[in-house]
Amino acid sequence: MPDRTLAPPRGTRPRNRRALILGAASDLFARRGYDQIGMTDLAEAVAIGPSALYRHFSSKQNLLREVIAGGLAPMRQLLENLNLADPSTASAQLAALCLDERHLGVLWQREARRLTPNDHALVRAEVREIGRRLTDRVRAARPELDRRTADLVTWATLAVLMSPSFHHLELPRPAYDELLAELAGLVLETPLPSAFAAPSPPPAGPVLLPASRREALLAQAVRMFAAQGFASVGIEDIGNAVGITGPSVYNHFPSKLDMLRTAFQRGTAALLMDVSTIYQTSSGAADALRRLVVSYIRFSQVHHDLIGLLITEVEHLPEVERHAARRAQHNYLTEWVHLLQLMHPELEPTTARIRVHSAVAVANDTARTPHLRHNPDVPAAIESICGRLLGLGL
């Protein structure tokens, strides 16, 4: 595939300039975040002036819309004729496309909320249509599954295929294509119950509220940041939502950034405490990894808003704290990789970590998808899928 991010010599007029701009924007938005990139940065990436960039795209928002739409279109086209009755060929086609469009997952999950409400709704509708088409293909290949079960297989498969968006691990191609195709194939063929229960009605809100005002503020902040975005929520809005008005809010948190920081620190500490407990009480590597999978699925289902913040809002932390948060996440997943390599010493470190990321992506994406999160049959099914991805007997 040609490198769409390679800037042409300054002063030239390449025929593919629009494609070069889209490629550079996709890379920069994914690596640094939409809010951290200006039109001047994008113009410099393709060696043109800002005025020349505006001849192609009227605004940064318009450019983001084109980047996401351009990434989704090939997926929709592939699904027109995808034949999952030949799973190895279908998985290879899906894997190659998703590695070619590697930034797509992070752009639609993290950056699409920066679009206008109308454009965001169109992107969501397109993603749902992609899910519907893939579910149709899953049901054609596995007619024993009802639509709810096939729908879970669809979104778990897409989570695996998009998981490279959320890390920087590299393998040479076509070896990477083969590994990602293998992982997608494992999901598509996972034995699951033929029918799932209907999703439970979503709760109207938490049944119990903390006695501590600080805890109530923190819980509300996490919900509001996840639903509306960190930048769109004021600390006074959070206080009003829990009945605390005026300057008394600041007695508990000096800023909304401190709320975000505290939420991340709490989540990381809880996960690492689980690691410590599991290491002390497990009978071996396979037992420990199995219990880590179950623990993480339960955590992600309950704390789905916090999982969403780790994906969409970590960029708002100051640089030093942002790196610390990412290092803590890396250290947590390193324990998964360590246990996986104890079970399968033949796995190369990068391959093992890619497998771990694929399993975590399945847990994250299903937890963040309301109709899956509210289905009581989904956690056990996700345990089975993650078990296959990691070579466990779940």
Side-chain angles (χ1 to χ4, degrees), residues 250-269:
Y250 296 92
N251 294 335
H252 304 282
F253 290 97
S255 69
K256 67 173 184 174
L257 179 61
D258 193 53
M259 293 178 172
L260 187 67
R261 179 189 299 119
T262 301
F264 286 152
Q265 291 171 345
R266 290 255 189 108
T268 300

Side-chain angles (χ1 to χ4, degrees), residues 166-182:
F166 298 94
H167 60 73
H168 303 294
L169 299 165
E170 295 290 349
L171 285 176
R173 299 182 69 176
Y176 206 161
D177 300 60
E178 293 167 359
L179 175 59
L180 194 61
E182 176 195 345

Side-chain angles (χ1 to χ4, degrees), residues 17-309:
R17 174 167 281 169
R18 183 180 177 86
L20 289 170
I21 294 170
L22 288 169
S26 175
D27 178 64
L28 288 172
F29 289 156
R31 284 193 298 108
R32 293 168 53 186
Y34 177 85
D35 292 334
Q36 308 302 318
I37 298 297
M39 292 293 267
T40 300
D41 301 311
L42 293 164
E44 290 177 355
V46 291
I48 60 175
S51 60
L53 180 59
Y54 280 107
R55 284 199 291 271
H56 293 276
F57 298 97
S58 60
S59 68
K60 188 173 70 163
Q61 219 171 29
N62 174 255
L63 181 51
L64 177 63
R65 183 193 67 209
E66 292 293 321
V67 165
I68 296 175
L72 291 172
M75 175 68 78
R76 184 166 181 169
Q77 292 165 8
L78 175 59
L79 291 175
E80 291 282 354
N81 300 303
L82 190 72
N83 180 14
L84 289 180
D86 180 6
S88 59
T89 300
S91 296
Q93 291 173 323
L94 288 165
L97 174 60
C98 290
L99 287 173
D100 285 346
E101 301 290 343
R102 182 167 177 175
H103 298 318
L104 180 59
V106 75
L107 291 174
W108 103 37
Q109 291 198 38
R110 189 185 73 197
E111 304 299 348
R113 68 170 63 192
R114 273 71 177 180
L115 296 170
T116 65
N118 184 61
D119 285 342
H120 192 197
L122 291 174
V123 166
R124 289 169 63 88
E126 181 69 4
V127 171
R128 285 195 296 269
E129 177 62 15
I130 286 171
R132 186 192 66 77
R133 292 188 180 202
L134 184 52
T135 299
D136 288 344
R137 302 296 178 267
V138 170
R139 293 198 75 198
R142 298 185 61 181
E144 79 279 8
L145 301 181
D146 74 353
R147 189 157 195 91
R148 292 191 188 100
T149 311
D151 179 66
L152 172 65
V153 171
T154 287
W155 293 108
T157 302
L158 289 173
V160 167
L161 291 167
M162 295 298 168
S163 61
S165 261
F166 298 94
H167 60 73
H168 303 294
L169 299 165
E170 295 290 349
L171 285 176
R173 299 182 69 176
Y176 206 161
D177 300 60
E178 293 167 359
L179 175 59
L180 194 61
E182 176 195 345
L183 296 172
L186 287 171
V187 177
L188 289 166
E189 297 176 356
T190 299
L192 292 171
S194 59
F196 277 0
S200 304
V207 175
L208 296 173
L209 296 176
S212 162
R213 287 193 163 192
R214 176 181 170 84
E215 295 303 315
L217 283 166
L218 184 61
Q220 185 64 33
V222 169
R223 286 192 289 271
M224 293 179 71
F225 293 158
Q228 302 172 40
F230 177 81
S232 301
V233 178
I235 191 169
E236 294 84 1
D237 300 324
I238 300 166
N240 290 336
V242 296
I244 302 174
T245 58
S248 60
V249 175
Y250 296 92
N251 294 335
H252 304 282
F253 290 97
S255 69
K256 67 173 184 174
L257 179 61
D258 193 53
M259 293 178 172
L260 187 67
R261 179 189 299 119
T262 301
F264 286 152
Q265 291 171 345
R266 290 255 189 108
T268 300
L271 290 172
L272 291 175
M273 184 59 70
D274 272 352
V275 171
S276 176
T277 300
I278 287 167
Y279 268 107
Q280 292 182 55
T281 58
S282 297
S283 59
D287 181 43
L289 185 54
R290 183 179 299 110
R291 292 173 64 182
L292 268 181
V293 168
V294 172
S295 165
Y296 187 76
I297 291 171
R298 289 174 179 167
F299 180 91
S300 62
Q301 292 279 314
V302 174
H303 300 287
H304 51 88
D305 286 336
L306 180 56
I307 296 297
L309 295 185

